[in-house]
Amino acid sequence: EYPEGLKIFSFFPQNKAFFFGLMEVEAKKSISQVKLPKADYVLFQGHRGKLVLPFQGKEYLLSEDKHLIFRTPDFPSEIYNPEVRIASCFLLTVPHFL
């Protein structure tokens, strides 16, 4: 279901409006066209390592002490792990009314 080099673990039963889980990207992997659960807002909270998310001509670095939030459909088209180890982040999607 997910591209090679990407794992997503859900902490709750599947729900169309809400998702909370952990996303892992293998070392030196670039993942494009990631299909995430449908929601209005997507929050990435750094957990382990570093991830790069290019968005609108800029590169945003997600590390263990940072978070990024995007409102769909404005969403990075790629997620890249520049590290030599697996990088991970918590992933939360919510509808707009929250």
Side-chain angles (χ1 to χ4, degrees):
E1 182 174 304
Y2 296 109
E4 184 179 336
L6 174 69
K7 292 181 183 175
I8 296 181
F9 305 93
S10 178
F11 296 150
F12 292 101
Q14 204 169 25
N15 184 316
K16 290 181 182 181
F18 175 80
F19 178 86
F20 179 58
L22 183 74
M23 179 173 72
E24 290 184 346
V25 181
E26 289 183 12
K28 301 292 183 184
K29 286 284 187 174
S30 179
I31 309 296
S32 60
Q33 303 302 322
V34 176
K35 293 193 178 193
L36 298 174
K38 298 273 185 197
D40 292 313
Y41 295 95
V42 180
L43 171 76
F44 296 90
Q45 173 66 51
H47 176 252
R48 183 180 52 199
K50 296 176 184 167
L51 293 169
V52 176
L53 291 88
F55 181 68
Q56 295 182 345
K58 288 180 148 181
E59 287 192 346
Y60 294 90
L61 180 64
L62 180 66
S63 59
E64 296 168 9
D65 60 342
K66 296 191 176 179
H67 64 273
L68 297 169
I69 189 165
F70 297 95
R71 183 170 182 174
T72 56
D74 294 329
F75 185 77
S77 60
E78 179 183 13
I79 298 171
Y80 174 66
N81 177 3
E83 303 260 304
V84 294
R85 63 182 180 141
I86 292 175
S88 63
C89 68
F90 293 107
L91 180 63
L92 175 67
T93 66
V94 294
H96 74 280
F97 61 86
L98 291 179

